[in-house]
Amino acid sequence: MTNKNVYSATGRRKQSVARVNLIPGKGNITVNGKPVNEYLPYQTLILDLKQPLEAVGMADKFDVEAKTSGGGFSGQTGAIRLAIAKALLAYDINGTDSETSYRKALKSAGFITRDARIKERKKYGLKKARRAPQFSKR
């Protein structure tokens, strides 16, 4: 049972995956069933998460329901942010070729691009991916 007024999208960042539903509402954000202020420990992460909504002026017009798993808070925030941007593109009533399209605003702010940086694998003979063991001359 899908509602016509619900816009869904998926976002990924590092090891995190987020599924987001945008529902017309008053601007409430819930992550994994908790209010965003309870779920995320830092205010900067919350501001980062809201950026796509503010870029298109929809911060108080949609409720955001996010389910996220994997990674840490920063990766999950990035995944939710990408998913919100994708869901806004699905909602965009102006279309993609219009001068007032959300795509133009979101693309110029860099919210549509998936950040592909992930942790580099550890190599043998090294402590981490590039960290060599400490060298002792004597």
Side-chain angles (χ1 to χ4, degrees), residues 77-99:
T77 301
I80 294 170
R81 186 172 86 166
L82 177 61
I84 289 172
K86 284 181 172 181
L88 284 169
L89 290 179
Y91 164 75
D92 193 4
I93 48 180
N94 297 323
T96 55
D97 52 346
S98 164
E99 195 63 33

Side-chain angles (χ1 to χ4, degrees), residues 118-130:
I118 58 170
K119 187 170 181 175
E120 191 175 342
R121 79 173 210 66
K122 181 191 176 304
K123 279 60 162 210
Y124 64 89
L126 300 180
K127 299 263 187 200
K128 292 167 63 178
R130 298 181 184 214

Side-chain angles (χ1 to χ4, degrees), residues 17-121:
V17 180
R19 291 178 307 282
V20 164
N21 290 327
L22 285 184
I23 304 159
K26 299 196 185 324
N28 299 324
I29 301 175
T30 57
V31 181
N32 291 346
K34 293 182 181 177
V36 71
N37 293 327
E38 285 181 27
Y39 187 79
L40 294 175
Y42 308 114
Q43 200 63 32
T44 52
L45 293 177
I46 297 168
L47 293 173
D48 195 36
L49 185 138
K50 293 179 181 177
Q51 283 178 330
L53 291 166
E54 290 166 357
V56 296
M58 290 291 188
D60 55 349
K61 297 200 173 39
F62 281 111
D63 288 343
V64 178
E65 288 181 0
K67 289 192 174 107
T68 181
S69 62
F73 291 121
S74 177
Q76 287 182 354
T77 301
I80 294 170
R81 186 172 86 166
L82 177 61
I84 289 172
K86 284 181 172 181
L88 284 169
L89 290 179
Y91 164 75
D92 193 4
I93 48 180
N94 297 323
T96 55
D97 52 346
S98 164
E99 195 63 33
T100 59
S101 72
Y102 291 168
R103 182 169 186 81
K104 196 168 209 159
L106 293 171
K107 181 91 171 159
S108 65
F111 298 137
I112 297 175
T113 309
R114 188 228 197 266
D115 191 348
R117 295 175 298 168
I118 58 170
K119 187 170 181 175
E120 191 175 342
R121 79 173 210 66

Side-chain angles (χ1 to χ4, degrees), residues 5-19:
N5 294 335
V6 176
Y7 303 94
S8 300
T10 304
R12 291 184 177 85
R13 169 81 173 99
K14 293 185 178 182
Q15 293 292 310
S16 302
V17 180
R19 291 178 307 282

